């Protein structure tokens, strides 16, 4: 059997797939590292150490999943970020999507956040007493992480694979990989990632920008954080 011929148009999608694989792997194995967690807990104590580690993991994920891969692809392929959806355009359409999906997500999270199953896991940071600066920092680290996340999935990976695969194959690949990175969390989030991934890809291709996906993802994460913090019987803001 002959070795398949390499074509120049393969470089961009192959590079994007390789970078999301490497970047997420670095983030994942760092986040489950007992040694790294132990260092934080030895320095800050058990609970605060876990909090500090969680915030560090989010910054790390932003870098390894999105920002560093974006820099590499820009340098290697001689493109700018607008080629991957980091552009401000179609403002009215984008705003309609953000407000429309937000109107669905926020009430849904309000009621879901009360459930015992949700409160057993969220907020991810398990502090019992929260200062206002802690609330702000936790929200900011979510934003940083989700920017890197959307920069990769609805930016680099989606726009790099569409020219070679076509729109629907690229969307399905994107949603499949997006679901796989949720496997370490739980079955419900893994299943839910499939339709959400498809919807966010369709919106991104329609608007030509990743910002709708970014703001929708932030709305999802932060509303769940704030509502879970409010409803958790053992947590309070001081």
């Amino acid at each position: 059997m002959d070795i398949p011929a390499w074509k120049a148009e393969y470089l961009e999608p192959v590079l994007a797939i390789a970078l999301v694989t490497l970047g997420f792997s670095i983030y994942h194995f760092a986040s489950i590292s007992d040694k790294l967690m132990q260092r934080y807990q030895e320095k800050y104590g058990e609970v605060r150490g876990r909090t500090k580690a969680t915030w560090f993991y989010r910054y790390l994920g932003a870098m390894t999943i999105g920002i560093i891969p974006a820099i590499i692809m820009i340098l290697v392929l001689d493109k700018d970020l607008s080629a991957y959806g980091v552009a401000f355009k179609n403002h009215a359409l984008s705003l309609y999507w953000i407000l429309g999906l937000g109107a669905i997500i926020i009430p849904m999270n309000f009621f879901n956040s009360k459930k015992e199953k949700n409160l057993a896991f969220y907020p991810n940071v398990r502090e019992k007493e929260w200062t206002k600066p802690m609330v702000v920092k936790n929200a900011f680290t979510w934003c940083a992480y989700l920017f890197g996340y959307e920069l990769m999935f609805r930016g680099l990976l989606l726009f790099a694979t569409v020219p070679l695969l076509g729109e629907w194959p690229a969307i399905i690949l994107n949603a499949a990989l997006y679901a796989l990175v949720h496997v370490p969390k739980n079955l419900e989030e893994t299943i839910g990632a499939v339709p959400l991934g498809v919807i966010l890809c369709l919106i991104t291709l329609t608007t030509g920008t990743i910002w709708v996906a970014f703001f929708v993802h932030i709305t999802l994460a932060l509303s769940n954080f704030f509502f879970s913090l409010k409803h958790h019987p053992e947590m309070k803001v001081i």
Side-chain angles (χ1 to χ4, degrees):
M1 180 178 177
D2 294 334
I3 297 175
W6 175 264
K7 297 181 181 180
E9 59 263 34
Y10 295 164
L11 177 60
E12 188 175 24
V14 167
L15 187 58
I17 294 169
L19 288 171
V20 69
T21 303
L22 178 61
F24 182 79
S25 296
I26 292 171
Y27 158 74
H28 173 69
F29 286 111
S31 68
I32 63 172
S33 169
D34 291 333
K35 290 183 178 179
L36 187 56
M37 179 61 73
Q38 185 178 359
R39 289 179 184 176
Y40 272 94
Q41 291 180 326
E42 287 175 352
K43 185 174 182 179
Y44 298 103
E46 183 177 353
V47 176
R48 185 54 52 88
R50 189 170 294 277
T51 298
K52 295 277 190 179
T54 299
W55 291 340
F56 167 75
Y57 299 148
R58 290 176 185 166
Y59 288 135
L60 177 67
M63 295 299 297
T64 63
I65 296 172
I67 295 174
I68 293 174
I71 293 171
I72 292 172
M73 292 188 69
I74 288 169
L75 293 176
V76 171
L77 301 169
D78 194 26
K79 290 190 172 185
D80 57 47
L81 285 175
S82 63
Y84 299 109
V86 186
F88 295 95
K89 54 185 178 181
N90 296 317
H91 305 300
L93 180 60
S94 297
L95 184 61
Y96 292 148
W97 275 117
I98 292 169
L99 294 177
L101 290 174
I104 297 171
I105 290 169
I106 293 174
M108 178 185 70
N109 272 351
F110 178 79
F111 292 106
N112 286 340
S113 64
K114 297 179 180 181
K115 296 178 180 179
E116 186 175 338
K117 188 174 183 179
N118 179 81
L119 295 176
F121 188 71
Y122 291 107
N124 300 109
V125 173
R126 308 305 286 177
E127 298 274 354
K128 291 187 177 181
E129 292 187 345
W130 289 71
T131 63
K132 291 179 180 178
M134 287 172 61
V135 173
V136 171
K137 186 165 185 178
N138 193 64
F140 180 79
T141 58
W142 262 127
C143 293
Y145 176 68
L146 292 175
F147 174 73
Y149 219 74
E150 290 302 333
L151 177 59
M152 169 51 76
F153 281 95
R154 258 60 66 172
L156 307 175
L157 184 62
L158 181 61
F159 285 96
T161 53
V162 164
L164 183 65
L165 301 180
E167 291 179 342
W168 274 110
I171 290 171
I172 298 304
L173 173 64
N174 197 288
L177 293 176
Y178 184 57
L180 286 174
V181 300
H182 283 77
V183 169
K185 290 189 174 182
N186 56 56
L187 180 60
E188 288 183 1
E189 291 199 30
T190 302
I191 294 172
V194 176
L196 179 61
V198 171
I199 290 169
L200 292 180
C201 284
L202 287 170
I203 293 171
T204 299
L205 293 178
T206 301
T207 60
T209 173
I210 68 168
W211 295 115
V212 175
F214 173 60
F215 283 110
V216 167
H217 215 156
I218 283 179
T219 302
L220 184 66
L222 293 190
S223 63
N224 185 52
F225 162 52
F226 291 131
F227 291 144
S228 297
L229 180 58
K230 175 182 175 62
H231 294 141
H232 202 292
E234 297 179 359
M235 296 183 183
K236 63 179 179 179
V237 179
I238 58 175

